[in-house]
Amino acid sequence: MFPTTVIKLIPFIEAIGIIAFCVSGFIRAQQHKFDPIGVFIIGFVTAFGGGTLRDIMLDRRPFFWVEHEAYIIALFVFSLIAGKTLHFMRRVFSLKSMLVADALGLSLFTITSTAVALDAGMPYFVASMYGVMGATFGGVIRDVLCNEKPLLLIDSEPYATCAFAGAWLYLILMYLNVQAILSLALGSALVFVLRMASIKLKWRVPSGF
Amino acid sequence: MFPTTVIKLIPFIEAIGIIAFCVSGFIRAQQHKFDPIGVFIIGFVTAFGGGTLRDIMLDRRPFFWVEHEAYIIALFVFSLIAGKTLHFMRRVFSLKSMLVADALGLSLFTITSTAVALDAGMPYFVASMYGVMGATFGGVIRDVLCNEKPLLLIDSEPYATCAFAGAWLYLILMYLNVQAILSLALGSALVFVLRMASIKLKWRVPSGF
Amino acid sequence: MFPTTVIKLIPFIEAIGIIAFCVSGFIRAQQHKFDPIGVFIIGFVTAFGGGTLRDIMLDRRPFFWVEHEAYIIALFVFSLIAGKTLHFMRRVFSLKSMLVADALGLSLFTITSTAVALDAGMPYFVASMYGVMGATFGGVIRDVLCNEKPLLLIDSEPYATCAFAGAWLYLILMYLNVQAILSLALGSALVFVLRMASIKLKWRVPSGF
């Protein structure tokens, strides 16, 4: 029973994560006064850039967004009315709920990316890197296109670190032959809990320098 | 008769477009005081970067410029004498004719990229995105390498928008089983006319914000 | 006898080159106050980014660093103690020996990348471009992530030019049916000698403008 519920939840969490990532792209686009084409491109790379780079590197096709065209058509429409979209998101959702949505996306995309890389025959450490990359490099491409230093590399927030920890929990559970869906649920849960705790408790990654 | 003439024209329009894109790269390289290596790289990514990214994402090989090595050898030679090349281009061609050449490149590359994506089995909306990307992302990579915000994302000129409209005309004509070469000609013509009109009439994309 | 010695040397030169490239990434990360995640990513792209981009474009798998996971695990550990790593490197190795190490990496990676591209059926000029790209584009991606203009494009040092010359020597020797390992040794040696001479004699590439 547990697995079935979890499996049914996945598309919902996925949609929540994609929306959160797109909104973070829209906010950045607004700060930089992007035009509607720019808004669409930034929303797109923030939400799908990490997974697309992962699939290019693993030589996997078709891309997620090619099979789920509805997502990018919706993104296109919301880009044309980005001001209204952002206004609506801000009125209905608090900053806190947006952070929760982003953390849900981070959690799910980390573990699905790790699973995809493991499936493709990658060794464990490489799979954990793909997990982190799939979930976080959309934001890196977004920042590069905005001509800023990528937040992921400089802000000392344990964002990638939370993803890394969850990826390893997933890999260890898989190594121990725990059921795939349970491993996915526990790995994602660890990413989510660590991310929420790191925001609440203002954790910082100690500088290596 | 019509198709034959059009087909014969394609390599010429292609060459004109490539030259125009390279020159736009050279001008940027001059503004940023790039060395000859930099000039070659910027010319290359401006002209071939969009199509190369498209082919990587569609998993197509060989790349256009691998099969047409003459283009990049010529580009290499002209990069070494970039100052003279630019001086010559500016003396012989007016700014207006350079804008026309760029619009020709945009028109042709948009529709060929859309056709390539459709051929690769992409759904319609995705194919139109590939069309716009193939024709315009060389400029985005150019701007990223120049450490500038990509013009495509911020300048509110309907550059990608013209490409998008033409891509859709092509897709609709193909859907209606119109002859491929006629669809290509009409789609390209629409991009070209819209682009020229948008320059002449100083159209701007309304901000979504 | 000669070939055997050279073949045995390759993994050592490779390791020296990778370490030198990583350290150059670490130095940049320190200047930009990157956090440990950022240090790891910058070290990684500097050392492996050029080869990875080359393999993506040539559609080759697995990547070098997937088959040599030990390198990236070591890089990961050293990233966590990047300050200590840099301190140690600076105390034990002079700036001069670091430049020599970097030149060794440039030499080897240029010729191996050229060889890989030739193997993949690329024509000669394209193969020489892949040679230069494989050895130098890690630095370009590093600079883009640091939000700086890529040094390779602006500094007028004959870095890519040395690589280009060595790639062509290798290609000519291969065309003349010289033994592969001898061609590799001579091509690499030319890159190394030119690079060292260019530093010593402060050569500059004449501007094309």
Side-chain angles (χ1 to χ4, degrees):
Chain A
M1 196 195 83
F2 167 62
T4 320
T5 321
V6 173
I7 292 171
K8 279 188 186 154
L9 273 176
I10 289 178
F12 289 96
I13 301 179
E14 202 168 68
I16 290 171
I18 289 172
I19 292 169
F21 282 22
C22 283
V23 168
S24 108
F26 279 22
I27 291 170
R28 197 63 67 82
Q30 190 176 38
Q31 289 165 354
H32 287 272
K33 299 195 200 320
F34 281 8
D35 61 32
I37 300 296
V39 175
F40 175 72
I41 293 174
I42 289 294
F44 182 87
V45 300
T46 310
F48 302 111
T52 302
L53 183 60
R54 177 202 69 206
D55 285 352
I56 289 174
M57 291 175 72
L58 291 174
D59 212 5
R60 285 178 82 240
R61 301 288 185 293
F63 296 130
F64 173 82
W65 47 272
V66 170
E67 287 194 302
H68 298 76
E69 219 192 357
Y71 275 124
I72 54 172
I73 295 175
L75 170 58
F76 182 75
V77 172
F78 286 119
S79 299
L80 299 181
I81 52 163
K84 285 206 178 65
T85 308
L86 275 183
H87 187 73
F88 174 80
M89 297 302 287
R90 280 171 172 150
R91 253 189 46 189
V92 177
F93 301 104
S94 61
L95 179 63
K96 206 183 219 165
S97 62
M98 289 306 297
L99 283 172
V100 172
D102 181 90
L104 280 173
L106 177 70
S107 313
L108 184 68
F109 299 151
T110 298
I111 307 303
T112 50
S113 285
T114 309
V116 159
L118 202 61
D119 249 27
M122 293 297 116
Y124 282 8
F125 191 84
V126 172
S128 73
M129 281 176 57
Y130 272 108
V132 175
M133 192 185 80
T136 64
F137 265 54
V140 172
I141 305 175
R142 175 199 64 203
D143 293 347
V144 166
L145 288 180
C146 292
N147 199 18
E148 294 182 356
K149 282 190 216 171
L151 266 181
L152 187 77
L153 277 57
I154 54 169
D155 71 355
S156 295
E157 275 201 41
Y159 194 81
T161 311
C162 300
F164 192 67
W168 274 102
L169 177 57
Y170 173 79
L171 290 169
I172 290 168
L173 293 174
M174 290 303 281
Y175 178 77
L176 298 174
N177 286 315
V178 175
Q179 212 188 344
I181 191 71
L182 183 60
S183 307
L184 187 151
L186 292 176
S188 296
L190 181 61
V191 179
F192 184 77
V193 168
L194 285 178
R195 175 66 185 145
M196 285 288 105
S198 81
I199 294 174
K200 188 80 182 172
L201 306 173
K202 297 186 197 307
W203 286 344
R204 287 293 174 272
V205 179
S207 167
F209 292 114
Chain B
M1 197 194 83
F2 167 63
T4 319
T5 321
V6 172
I7 291 172
K8 279 190 187 154
L9 274 176
I10 290 179
F12 289 95
I13 300 179
E14 202 168 69
I16 291 171
I18 289 172
I19 292 170
F21 281 22
C22 283
V23 168
S24 109
F26 279 23
I27 290 170
R28 198 62 69 81
Q30 190 177 37
Q31 289 165 354
H32 286 273
K33 299 194 201 317
F34 281 9
D35 62 32
I37 300 296
V39 175
F40 175 72
I41 293 173
I42 290 294
F44 182 87
V45 301
T46 310
F48 303 111
T52 303
L53 183 60
R54 176 203 68 205
D55 284 352
I56 289 174
M57 291 175 71
L58 290 174
D59 212 3
R60 284 177 83 239
R61 302 289 184 290
F63 296 130
F64 173 83
W65 47 271
V66 171
E67 287 194 303
H68 297 74
E69 220 193 356
Y71 275 124
I72 55 174
I73 295 175
L75 170 58
F76 182 75
V77 173
F78 286 119
S79 299
L80 299 182
I81 52 162
K84 284 204 180 62
T85 308
L86 275 184
H87 188 72
F88 173 81
M89 297 301 286
R90 279 172 172 150
R91 254 189 46 187
V92 177
F93 302 103
S94 61
L95 179 63
K96 207 183 219 166
S97 62
M98 289 305 300
L99 283 172
V100 172
D102 182 89
L104 280 172
L106 177 70
S107 312
L108 185 68
F109 299 151
T110 298
I111 307 303
T112 51
S113 285
T114 309
V116 159
L118 202 61
D119 249 27
M122 292 298 115
Y124 282 9
F125 192 85
V126 172
S128 72
M129 280 177 57
Y130 272 109
V132 176
M133 192 185 80
T136 64
F137 265 54
V140 171
I141 305 174
R142 175 200 64 201
D143 294 347
V144 166
L145 288 180
C146 291
N147 199 19
E148 295 182 355
K149 282 190 216 171
L151 266 181
L152 188 77
L153 278 56
I154 54 167
D155 70 356
S156 293
E157 275 201 41
Y159 194 83
T161 311
C162 299
F164 192 68
W168 273 102
L169 177 57
Y170 173 80
L171 290 168
I172 291 168
L173 293 175
M174 290 302 281
Y175 179 76
L176 298 174
N177 286 315
V178 174
Q179 213 189 342
I181 191 70
L182 183 60
S183 306
L184 187 151
L186 292 175
S188 296
L190 181 62
V191 179
F192 184 76
V193 168
L194 285 177
R195 174 69 185 143
M196 285 288 104
S198 81
I199 294 174
K200 189 80 182 170
L201 306 172
K202 298 189 196 304
W203 286 345
R204 287 294 174 273
V205 179
S207 166
F209 292 113
Chain C
M1 193 194 87
F2 168 62
T4 320
T5 320
V6 173
I7 292 171
K8 278 189 187 154
L9 274 176
I10 290 179
F12 289 96
I13 301 179
E14 202 167 70
I16 290 171
I18 289 172
I19 293 169
F21 282 23
C22 283
V23 169
S24 109
F26 279 22
I27 291 171
R28 197 62 69 81
Q30 191 177 37
Q31 289 164 354
H32 286 273
K33 299 197 199 321
F34 281 9
D35 61 32
I37 300 297
V39 175
F40 175 71
I41 292 172
I42 289 294
F44 182 86
V45 300
T46 310
F48 302 110
T52 303
L53 183 60
R54 176 202 68 204
D55 285 352
I56 289 174
M57 290 176 72
L58 291 174
D59 212 5
R60 286 177 82 240
R61 301 288 186 289
F63 296 130
F64 173 82
W65 47 270
V66 171
E67 287 194 303
H68 296 77
E69 220 192 359
Y71 274 123
I72 55 173
I73 295 175
L75 170 59
F76 182 75
V77 173
F78 286 119
S79 299
L80 299 181
I81 52 163
K84 285 206 178 62
T85 307
L86 274 184
H87 187 72
F88 174 81
M89 297 301 288
R90 279 172 171 149
R91 255 191 44 190
V92 177
F93 302 103
S94 60
L95 179 62
K96 207 184 221 166
S97 62
M98 289 306 299
L99 282 173
V100 172
D102 182 90
L104 280 172
L106 177 69
S107 313
L108 185 68
F109 299 151
T110 298
I111 308 302
T112 51
S113 284
T114 309
V116 159
L118 202 60
D119 249 27
M122 293 297 116
Y124 281 10
F125 191 84
V126 172
S128 72
M129 280 176 58
Y130 271 109
V132 175
M133 192 186 81
T136 64
F137 265 53
V140 171
I141 305 175
R142 174 199 65 201
D143 294 348
V144 166
L145 289 181
C146 291
N147 198 19
E148 294 181 356
K149 282 189 216 172
L151 266 182
L152 188 77
L153 278 55
I154 54 168
D155 71 357
S156 294
E157 276 201 40
Y159 194 81
T161 311
C162 300
F164 192 68
W168 274 101
L169 177 58
Y170 173 80
L171 289 169
I172 291 168
L173 293 174
M174 290 301 282
Y175 178 77
L176 298 174
N177 286 315
V178 174
Q179 213 189 343
I181 191 72
L182 184 60
S183 307
L184 187 151
L186 292 176
S188 297
L190 181 61
V191 179
F192 184 76
V193 168
L194 285 177
R195 175 67 186 145
M196 285 288 106
S198 81
I199 295 173
K200 189 80 182 171
L201 306 173
K202 297 188 197 306
W203 285 344
R204 286 293 174 274
V205 178
S207 168
F209 292 113

